Amino acid sequence: MPQEIELKLKLPPEAVHAFWQCPALATLPHASPVGQHLYSAYYDTPDQHLRRHGAALRLRRQGEQWIQTLKRGGGAVGGLHSRQEHETPVAAQLVSFTAMIEAGAGDLIEDDAIRRAITVVFVTDFSRTSSVVEPAPGTIIEVSVDRGAVVSGRRRDTLCEVELELKQGEPDALFDLAEALMHALPLRLDNVSKAERGYRLAAGQGIQPVKAAAVALYPEMSVDAAFQTIAGACLQQLQANETGVLERSDPEYVHQARVAIRRLRSAFNVFADAVPKSALSEHLTRLRDIAGALGTARDWDVFAAEVLPPALAGLPADAAQGLRRRTSALRGRARREARALLASSSYSLAVLRFARALAVMSWQAQRAQSCAEAAALPLKSFADTVLTARAKKMRKRGRHADRGNAAHLHALRIQVKKLRYCCEFLSALYSRKPAAAFLKRLETLQAVLGRLNDDAAAQQRLDELAPKLREPGAQEVVSYLRGFFAGDAHATLARFDAAWKRARKAKAFW
């Protein structure tokens, strides 16, 4: 099947006219933009049989003609969508199962009951304005602006987006053009396809916080391909939570965006022997900035919504009004700062540039001989080595940790988390049950250490709050809370030794 490679970008409706006047387009050899109306019906079974098997089936009306398109495989990272695509003209708006078989999807429709169940799930109805540009000899990109809606029954979701589809040349050219456009216009990368929008609409689902998904690794993968897959999945999780951070009040979006960044930074550490950090230093620096803003917002979310309420439960309702107000103000400020960062053009450019580095594996050109040797290992051998080293670091940190020292326990928590992420990234290469059992022990230990960290962080929040509180009795409340968190830490520490012993003695699954 032919490969469709495109970048998708969100475009504010008010910027549509300016888009076609943008110097990034106007200065390139291009054809005059041409408009057309496109109506597409997407087909599947009620239980989404095709979607669950990674396929999308579409019938699109172009003028008087109907085109059936089957898309399979691939995915989207950083706005770059890559899928196998098979197109067949059909006589009317009737699914051609013969064309699906010719496209290699006969395995999906062998059952007659599945064929009978396939029906329209949603439609897209939009106007497309397109032009073809030639940034360099031999490079051809189709530039399209789509404005319209995705419709399922009475539900409707408007869309206004740009598609840059590579017709000829290398994917680098898409990123070059996208970056030039983003310097001039308020564009954002978009990982959500029209099909994904439609399925959400059909299910009556709005956006939801997105947790880390299992990563599909295979022993025959190269080390580079495994890093590309893992880092791409982390970037996708970050992007999937962007809209929620910007537009929703649910703190879970901030939490999951922060988790995505932490996992991404951990992926760099896991593959440090094969992927030189020096080649990606710009991206690591930007990731630290993003992590800092999201981390501050998350810390105040945890303090305000999870840690403080049970601590104040034993006090009169009006005893801590000033503290609550001040906490709410600082929490709001931290959230606004995180939103401002994710809304900035510099953030969008950082994501685009990192997506580009992943797509073209830019680190390969800067790899030293030592890194090349590690990258040449079979993936499972590389994974064995990394997991062994990570587990050794955790055990060493735990042996030398002073149970009464919060800094020591925090350092151990970081090592436990790094080992856990490493296991989650690489466990697909091993037997499922032993890996799950190992991870469960790590998670139990991490939960104890996380509770201790929350108590220590709460003391730091009080350090920041206390000097600003002027209400009568406020300092007494602060003193009470300090005692509460110290007592909670003491009680939690009593569970530490058992959790540590189980994690330390957990049988390696690699």
Side-chain angles (χ1 to χ4, degrees):
M1 293 172 69
Q3 193 85 354
E4 177 195 58
I5 300 175
E6 65 183 18
L7 271 173
K8 295 174 68 69
L9 305 111
K10 298 177 184 178
L11 177 67
E14 62 272 16
V16 170
H17 178 72
F19 179 83
W20 292 109
Q21 312 304 318
C22 178
L25 291 176
T27 57
L28 294 176
H30 68 282
S32 298
V34 175
Q36 59 181 321
H37 179 255
L38 297 176
Y39 175 88
S40 303
Y42 287 75
Y43 288 76
D44 207 336
T45 62
D47 65 350
Q48 300 182 5
H49 171 75
L50 299 181
R51 185 193 189 195
R52 286 188 287 105
H53 288 83
L57 178 62
R58 180 187 76 199
L59 265 68
R60 170 170 287 174
R61 186 178 63 212
Q62 295 182 232
E64 299 300 319
Q65 188 179 34
W66 285 91
I67 304 293
Q68 177 172 305
T69 303
L70 178 73
K71 297 186 181 186
R72 294 193 79 177
V77 175
L80 183 69
H81 297 245
S82 178
R83 301 196 77 182
Q84 293 177 328
E85 182 180 68
H86 185 274
E87 292 188 338
T88 308
V90 292
Q93 190 184 346
L94 296 171
V95 173
S96 169
F97 294 117
T98 300
M100 291 184 69
I101 294 170
E102 291 173 352
D107 58 312
L108 300 181
I109 52 171
E110 289 177 335
D111 192 330
D112 286 340
I114 290 175
R115 296 191 187 203
R116 290 193 299 271
I118 290 177
T119 187
V120 176
V121 180
F122 58 90
V123 303
T124 61
D125 191 359
F126 59 90
S127 298
R128 167 169 288 177
T129 306
S130 302
S131 180
V132 174
V133 302
E134 190 173 356
T139 299
I140 298 173
I141 299 173
E142 183 179 64
V143 181
S144 302
V145 175
D146 295 342
R147 295 193 67 184
V150 184
V151 182
S152 180
R154 294 184 178 181
R155 302 187 183 103
R156 184 181 184 89
D157 185 15
T158 59
L159 62 88
C160 185
E161 62 186 27
V162 173
E163 288 187 0
L164 308 178
E165 183 174 354
L166 187 66
K167 296 296 187 181
Q168 185 176 315
E170 297 299 322
D172 245 354
L174 291 179
F175 290 101
D176 283 337
L177 180 55
E179 180 159 349
L181 290 168
M182 289 172 71
H183 277 297
L185 296 164
L187 292 162
R188 296 181 66 82
L189 287 166
D190 192 359
N191 260 359
V192 184
S193 66
K194 293 182 179 70
E196 186 64 27
R197 285 172 179 256
Y199 277 113
R200 286 181 185 175
L201 207 62
Q205 295 176 341
I207 62 169
Q208 300 289 331
V210 176
K211 295 183 178 182
V215 181
L217 297 184
Y218 308 97
E220 59 270 26
M221 271 183 167
S222 68
V223 172
D224 281 337
F227 173 72
Q228 183 188 52
T229 300
I230 291 167
C234 297
L235 184 60
Q236 192 165 4
Q237 184 192 6
L238 173 62
Q239 290 180 274
N241 288 288
E242 279 178 18
T243 301
V245 173
L246 294 171
E247 301 178 3
R248 301 289 192 271
S249 60
D250 186 347
E252 187 65 15
Y253 290 105
V254 171
H255 176 45
Q256 293 305 327
R258 186 194 193 190
V259 167
I261 292 287
R262 282 184 164 178
R263 288 171 63 85
L264 189 48
R265 294 175 70 185
S266 185
F268 276 97
N269 290 326
V270 169
F271 287 86
D273 289 343
V275 179
K277 287 186 177 181
S278 58
L280 298 165
S281 57
E282 173 194 345
H283 310 296
L284 284 166
T285 299
R286 192 57 179 153
L287 286 173
R288 280 194 292 270
D289 294 340
I290 298 167
L294 290 171
T296 300
R298 175 59 182 168
D299 289 345
W300 280 106
D301 282 341
V302 170
F303 181 73
E306 299 177 20
V307 175
L308 195 57
L312 293 175
L315 295 177
D318 60 349
Q321 288 182 350
L323 184 141
R324 287 192 177 98
R325 282 195 300 269
R326 184 63 184 163
T327 296
S328 180
L330 292 173
R331 182 187 188 188
R333 184 176 73 182
R335 175 66 67 88
R336 288 191 297 274
E337 290 174 353
R339 282 176 170 167
L341 179 60
L342 265 63
S344 68
S345 59
S346 61
Y347 168 81
S348 292
L349 284 167
V351 173
L352 176 74
R353 289 168 182 166
F354 183 52
R356 177 189 207 141
L358 290 179
V360 303
M361 295 188 181
S362 63
W363 59 87
Q364 291 179 328
Q366 301 181 46
R367 183 147 50 202
Q369 181 60 34
S370 58
C371 285
E373 292 172 0
L377 290 171
L379 180 56
K380 198 162 181 299
S381 297
F382 178 86
D384 289 346
T385 301
V386 171
L387 285 163
T388 299
R390 287 279 180 181
K392 184 178 179 180
K393 282 185 177 180
M394 183 200 74
R395 293 188 177 105
K396 182 179 179 180
R397 177 67 67 178
R399 282 197 305 271
H400 297 291
D402 179 354
R403 277 37 173 186
N405 188 311
H408 282 202
L409 294 175
H410 178 65
L412 175 59
R413 175 172 169 266
I414 290 173
Q415 289 299 332
V416 172
K417 186 174 292 189
K418 284 182 176 181
L419 177 58
R420 183 188 135 212
Y421 285 156
C422 187
C423 292
E424 289 175 349
F425 291 151
L426 302 172
S427 61
L429 300 170
Y430 302 91
S431 298
R432 185 180 63 83
K433 286 186 176 180
F438 189 91
L439 273 165
K440 187 173 179 60
R441 293 193 178 195
L442 287 185
E443 288 165 0
T444 300
L445 176 59
Q446 188 179 330
V448 172
L449 291 168
R451 182 66 174 263
L452 291 169
N453 185 68
D454 286 345
D455 287 325
Q459 300 285 6
Q460 294 173 2
R461 300 289 83 76
L462 291 175
D463 289 343
E464 189 170 349
L465 287 163
K468 305 292 185 181
L469 300 175
R470 299 286 185 265
E471 296 86 352
Q475 297 307 317
E476 287 77 2
V477 170
V478 170
S479 296
Y480 167 80
L481 291 174
R482 289 193 187 281
F484 180 93
F485 296 130
D488 188 76
H490 181 75
T492 303
L493 194 59
R495 307 202 310 270
F496 170 78
D497 286 331
W500 165 244
K501 183 177 180 181
R502 283 177 56 78
R504 179 172 56 83
K505 292 189 174 182
K507 185 177 181 181
F509 60 86
W510 56 92

